[in-house]
Amino acid sequence: MLDNQEDRVAVLVDCDNTSPEILEYALRVVAQFGRVVVRRGYGNHATLANKWQEALVRLAFTPCLQYQYASGKNTSDIALALDALEDLFDHRAETYCLVTSDSDFAYLCRKLRERGSMVYIVGEKKTPDALRNASDQFFEYQPPESESIKAQPSKVKKQRPKALVDAVSLLAADASEDWVGLPVLGQYMRRTNPGFSPQQFGYSGLLEMIRTYPELVTRKDGASHWVQLKGRAEREE
């Protein structure tokens, strides 16, 4: 049975700044955060034609056409920002997903969050840190690989960022018996770095990543996993 109190999500797409292939990925991402009630794609006449027209129609997005009144002026960005604030003040949505890699939207993200909204960004690799860090969580879209690239698979070198150990140390100070739950740790890491994911460091999940740290120990309690600094665990024994 679906939760009738689930958040209403607005998906606003900067069509001038990204490609139509990103739309389906964005919808899969936001499905975990609530019910998508607003779907809009913003762009000029040249952008909202051909591939974008097909994608917007197929995925039930409302096209928001903005003509350029002067050369070099992007009226689509202003329209998207104004509509987002209007949706907020009219209580149409509580959660926002902006599909863009344009750092000009960083200020909009900050204003939405100041008003209590959750803001997610779906963007490409080129997305600047200024926009990534203005969101609650950033999701990087990876275009499908060509056949030639698939024939030569590349492995991500596994890394162990110290920030994870620092996070466990900080959270353990307020945790029961110094044990930190994995969901709490994962949430904290995403709050401090909206683009954080174990996959970017070469791991399939957070638990696999933690188990490679000599400074950390884990335990399982039923279906839950917990992590602790090794030194504290040894003192308890």
Side-chain angles (χ1 to χ4, degrees), residues 136-137 164 167-168 171 180-198 205-207 209-210 225 227:
D136 286 288
Q137 190 169 355
L164 192 62
V168 174
L171 295 172
V180 179
L182 249 63
V184 173
L185 177 59
Q187 183 182 59
Y188 176 83
M189 294 299 295
R190 288 190 296 273
R191 283 178 175 173
T192 55
N193 176 10
F196 172 81
S197 72
L206 185 57
L207 182 60
M209 185 176 181
I210 289 171
H225 287 87
V227 60

Side-chain angles (χ1 to χ4, degrees), residues 3-10 30-37 92-96 116-118 120:
D3 182 3
N4 292 327
Q5 301 301 315
E6 62 185 346
D7 281 357
R8 291 168 297 178
V9 182
V30 300
Q32 62 188 301
F33 303 120
R35 175 176 170 238
V36 177
V37 296
R92 293 194 188 104
E94 300 85 21
T95 300
Y96 291 82
S117 295
M118 296 292 291
Y120 301 98

Side-chain angles (χ1 to χ4, degrees), residues 48-72:
L48 297 185
N50 303 320
K51 289 184 178 181
W52 265 117
Q53 178 179 339
E54 186 278 330
L56 294 174
V57 170
R58 178 169 53 85
L59 296 173
F61 275 74
T62 299
C64 297
L65 173 63
Q66 297 295 317
Y67 291 109
Q68 288 182 285
Y69 304 130
S71 178

Side-chain angles (χ1 to χ4, degrees), residues 6-174:
E6 62 185 346
D7 281 357
R8 291 168 297 178
V9 182
V11 180
L12 307 177
V13 185
D14 177 14
C15 300
D16 291 331
N17 186 259
T18 188
S19 60
E21 291 77 19
I22 201 172
L23 274 189
E24 292 189 35
Y25 172 74
L27 290 175
R28 289 197 301 271
V29 164
V30 300
Q32 62 188 301
F33 303 120
R35 175 176 170 238
V36 177
V37 296
V38 176
R39 302 185 186 196
R40 301 197 195 105
Y42 297 79
N44 59 39
H45 182 269
T47 299
L48 297 185
N50 303 320
K51 289 184 178 181
W52 265 117
Q53 178 179 339
E54 186 278 330
L56 294 174
V57 170
R58 178 169 53 85
L59 296 173
F61 275 74
T62 299
C64 297
L65 173 63
Q66 297 295 317
Y67 291 109
Q68 288 182 285
Y69 304 130
S71 178
K73 299 294 184 180
N74 192 342
T75 55
S76 299
D77 289 2
I78 297 175
L80 189 157
L82 289 175
D83 283 355
L85 292 174
E86 183 179 68
D87 292 339
L88 175 68
F89 295 140
D90 290 346
H91 306 290
R92 293 194 188 104
E94 300 85 21
T95 300
Y96 291 82
C97 173
L98 304 186
V99 184
T100 182
S101 298
D102 189 346
S103 60
D104 288 347
F105 289 108
Y107 187 74
L108 172 63
C109 292
R110 294 197 296 270
K111 297 303 290 185
L112 290 172
R113 294 176 71 190
E114 286 174 6
R115 291 279 179 169
S117 295
M118 296 292 291
V119 180
Y120 301 98
I121 297 291
V122 175
E124 300 174 25
K125 187 176 182 179
K126 64 182 180 181
T127 306
D129 288 341
L131 181 60
R132 294 174 185 243
N133 294 328
S135 67
D136 286 288
Q137 190 169 355
F138 174 78
F139 296 91
E140 184 176 309
Y141 171 68
Q142 298 288 346
E145 296 178 327
S146 65
E147 292 301 323
S148 59
I149 296 177
K150 287 181 180 179
Q152 301 175 0
S154 60
K155 291 185 178 181
V156 177
K157 184 179 178 180
K158 291 188 175 182
Q159 305 173 55
R160 293 199 297 261
K162 186 177 180 295
L164 192 62
V165 177
D166 293 339
V168 174
S169 178
L170 179 66
L171 295 172
D174 295 323

